[in-house]
Amino acid sequence: MTAAINTPINSVNEFLTRVYIEAAARAAALRRDDGMSTIEYAMGSLAAAALAAVLYMVINGNGVVDAIEGIITDALSNRPA
C-alpha cells in the first residue's frame, strides 16, 4: 500500500519548483532582443564620443599640463645622493 503523504518537505519542493520554472520563463523572455542592436550601437557610439570629448577637454586643460610639467621637473631636478 503506497500512499502519497503530503509532508511539508513535498510542499516546499513543489513551491521551489514552481518558482524556478517561473524564473526560467522570465529569464528566457528577457533574453529576446529582437530589434535592439541598432539602438545599442547608437547609444554605445554616443557614449564613446561623449567620453572622448570629456577626455580631450581634461587633457588639454591647464591643470593636467601643469601637473605633468611639475612631475617631469621634479624628476629631472632630483639628483642621487
Side-chain angles (χ1 to χ4, degrees):
M1 176 163 107
T2 307
I5 302 172
N6 192 8
T7 63
I9 292 174
N10 287 340
S11 61
V12 169
N13 285 339
E14 290 171 5
F15 172 75
L16 291 176
T17 302
R18 273 186 281 138
V19 168
Y20 176 77
I21 291 171
E22 289 175 10
R26 287 182 185 160
L30 289 176
R31 275 187 243 129
R32 284 181 274 154
D33 60 344
D34 300 337
M36 293 295 290
S37 61
T38 302
I39 191 68
E40 288 172 354
Y41 287 128
M43 294 302 290
S45 299
L46 183 63
L51 179 62
V54 169
L55 289 176
Y56 179 78
M57 291 172 51
V58 168
I59 294 298
N60 287 327
N62 291 334
V64 175
V65 173
D66 292 341
I68 292 173
E69 286 178 2
I71 291 170
I72 293 172
T73 303
D74 288 343
L76 294 176
S77 65
N78 287 334
R79 297 186 184 174

